[in-house]
Amino acid sequence: MASFDHLIIGSGINALVAAAMLSRKGDSVLVIEKEDRIGGCMYTDEVTLPGYHHDVMAATFVLFLTGPAHGALGEDLAKHGLEFCHTDAPTAALRPNGEAVVLRTDRDANVATFNGLAAGDGDQFRQDVAGVEKDADFLFTLLGEQLFSKAMVKLLGKQAWKKGMTDMKVWFGEAMEPARGWLETRYDSAGIQALFAPWVLHVGLTPEATYGGQMARVIAFALEAAGAPVIKGGAGQAAKAFRSLIEANSGKIRTGVEATRIMTKRGKAVGVETAEGEQIQAKNIIASTAPGQLYGKLLRDEDLEQPTKKFRHGRGNFQLHYALDGQPDWEAGGLEDVALIHLADGVDSVSKSCNEAERGMLPEVPTICVGQPHRLDPTRCPEGKGILWLQIPDAPGVIKGDAAKEIETVPEWTDEMREAYADRIEAILAKHIRNWDKIKLGRRAYSPHDLSQMNVNLVKGDPYGGACTLDQFFVWRPYASQINNGTPIKNLFHIGASTHPGPGLGGGSGLNVAKALGA
């Protein structure tokens, strides 16, 4: 029977970070993956036409590039082929009236642009991002490090001593502010509100959710500081670089291997049994899974005390990809080299679409994120051609109806409903691109159901590992009883988007567990 120091279930960004750190330490590591490829949501394929390489799910790596996992592994990964591609225009908002607002990686330029839209809005933006910058050490440690630790207690004490208890109370109070509150009380420009409001959807929140304002400020700071980088060759190249690094350090990766049971002995994890009946022993088991997968399947035979509150998953994700016979001629100028463009009117439009999705409705006017990865990385498609990556982060996982009363629905996504909803999205997109009918070559859509079939952790198409509302975030993620990444079973660790520090491509939970295990 094979035996390892660490056996990791799953191969998403957190699993690969943990494997890279622990194998570099010299420990024996095995990663097992149910699918025939590694990478989780980091997946690139020719899904429309030959020669057009699309990031089917995850695409932008700003959280990884700016996070501690890249700080620890970036140099090694670069040696194994990881390369980032950049633009100085990371994001923009394009409103239905044709007005566009672009954020650049130049603070003075952003301040000037925003002051030109509404007097004082640029100065407010400088104040907001400077506040994040000033508290960066404290804020990013709080958002990324283990919350139950001596280091965290020391950090909180140091911050309280530095600010004083009253200022600390004020700081945490402002941090709890929803994005709607932040945007509507600080900015007069509807364009600036439209620029930042959609970004809360990308961290699993809504404009009305607690601490959404703080997360939006953090995102604005990160985008301005590091842009919205993509991986040269596609997100799948990141998985290949991790694999090369892990295997260079004698780590092992096996695909097409499904874990069906975590074996325990006297309350301690000792190994994994696979769907083929193979038993693999390990000193530590690290599960990169959704909570239901871990506790409802892998530990189904264990007599564990159940949490008092059931873990909730959030809205689903809808992906839409296009192969283009040329470059989009946007109706608004200045969008040619923008990495990610949101088609949204403002706070109310974002609130409406995600509220409809949360109520199980197909949004009448969805919030649409449009990526132009070929503008950053021309290797993605034939010379002179183009690709578009569309993410609609407010699609219902289970459908109760259509807010526009146009599409006949049933509770589960069907191919017909997927294509009808894709038609709605495309119609909105086409209004903003003058030459759309001339350049469109191919289309491929993925419903929340399709995505859940591709990745077991995307429950009902939820890409954020569960609802990210305050009651299941920070020390309450995924359950209030869980301490850091520990579980009720000794030597069994839980990582991934469903655990602190939550979703995204930062790799934080994988890094935290690896460090706790001595890496």
Side-chain angles (χ1 to χ4, degrees), residues 76-98:
D76 289 341
L77 288 167
K79 294 176 182 177
H80 289 269
L82 184 66
E83 184 178 346
F84 296 97
C85 301
H86 300 270
T87 173
D88 68 354
T91 191
L94 179 54
R95 301 177 64 209
N97 64 4

Side-chain angles (χ1 to χ4, degrees), residues 294-312:
L294 177 59
Y295 294 104
K297 178 182 177 182
L298 298 173
L299 292 172
R300 64 186 180 279
D301 297 330
E302 297 297 315
D303 185 20
L304 300 176
E305 183 178 350
Q306 297 300 311
T308 57
K309 186 181 73 173
K310 188 175 181 180
F311 187 77
R312 305 188 317 280

Side-chain angles (χ1 to χ4, degrees), residues 181-483:
W182 169 54
L183 291 169
E184 291 187 340
T185 62
R186 310 296 203 286
Y187 296 96
D188 292 328
S189 167
I192 296 174
Q193 293 179 10
L195 178 64
F196 295 119
W199 278 101
V200 296
L201 305 184
H202 295 281
V203 290
L205 297 175
T206 71
E208 287 74 33
T210 303
Y211 77 93
Q214 182 68 292
M215 292 305 299
R217 287 190 291 271
V218 169
I219 291 169
F221 169 78
L223 289 169
E224 186 187 70
V230 299
I231 302 296
K232 186 174 183 179
Q237 294 298 320
K240 290 182 180 179
F242 269 107
R243 179 168 203 150
S244 179
L245 173 58
I246 292 164
E247 292 179 342
N249 290 326
S250 299
K252 297 184 181 300
I253 297 175
R254 293 174 57 190
T255 57
V257 178
E258 181 182 2
T260 56
R261 183 172 70 93
I262 292 174
M263 302 183 297
T264 64
K265 190 173 183 179
R266 292 189 290 274
K268 178 180 177 181
V270 296
V272 164
E273 184 175 323
T274 74
E276 299 297 322
E278 180 184 7
Q279 293 187 346
I280 309 171
Q281 292 184 337
K283 294 178 183 177
N284 298 298
I285 308 296
I286 301 172
S288 184
T289 69
Q293 181 78 357
L294 177 59
Y295 294 104
K297 178 182 177 182
L298 298 173
L299 292 172
R300 64 186 180 279
D301 297 330
E302 297 297 315
D303 185 20
L304 300 176
E305 183 178 350
Q306 297 300 311
T308 57
K309 186 181 73 173
K310 188 175 181 180
F311 187 77
R312 305 188 317 280
H313 279 276
R315 301 180 302 279
N317 191 14
F318 193 99
Q319 294 283 149
L320 191 54
H321 304 279
Y322 288 97
L324 305 179
D325 188 22
Q327 306 305 310
D329 180 14
W330 292 96
E331 66 167 338
L335 299 179
E336 293 77 15
D337 293 325
V338 175
L340 296 168
I341 304 166
H342 283 108
L343 308 183
D345 196 27
V347 180
D348 287 344
S349 76
V350 174
S351 180
K352 179 178 182 292
S353 65
C354 64
N355 178 268
E356 287 169 347
E358 289 195 329
R359 292 187 289 111
M361 308 297 285
L362 297 176
E364 180 180 17
V365 182
T367 302
I368 304 170
C369 182
V370 184
Q372 305 182 103
H374 71 286
R375 301 297 297 185
L376 287 70
D377 175 18
T379 69
R380 298 290 186 93
C381 58
E383 186 176 357
K385 309 301 183 182
I387 61 175
L388 291 183
W389 172 95
L390 272 65
Q391 182 185 57
I392 294 80
D394 48 14
V398 177
I399 304 169
K400 298 178 181 178
D402 177 22
K405 297 181 172 60
E406 295 171 347
I407 300 173
E408 187 175 341
T409 65
V410 293
E412 301 298 325
W413 281 92
T414 65
D415 292 350
E416 294 76 17
M417 289 165 54
R418 178 192 65 213
E419 297 307 316
Y421 193 52
D423 288 342
R424 176 176 298 171
I425 296 162
E426 183 175 323
I428 297 171
L429 176 68
K431 291 177 182 178
H432 294 289
I433 299 177
R434 297 187 185 96
N435 61 341
W436 180 251
D437 290 337
K438 295 180 180 179
I439 63 172
K440 176 189 171 183
L441 289 177
R443 180 179 94 176
R444 178 70 179 272
Y446 294 87
S447 71
H449 173 74
D450 296 329
L451 297 176
S452 71
Q453 295 302 298
M454 296 168 63
N455 187 327
V456 69
N457 287 334
L458 303 182
V459 180
K460 292 184 173 60
D462 170 15
Y464 303 112
C468 296
T469 49
L470 186 59
D471 64 299
Q472 29 179 77
F473 216 71
F474 297 109
V475 293
W476 304 281
R477 192 167 185 85
Y479 303 112
S481 58
Q482 185 159 310
I483 305 299

Side-chain angles (χ1 to χ4, degrees), residues 149-163:
S149 66
K150 291 181 180 178
M152 185 59 67
V153 172
K154 184 178 179 180
L155 178 75
L156 289 170
K158 180 180 178 181
Q159 193 74 358
W161 179 265
K162 175 183 173 182
K163 286 182 173 290

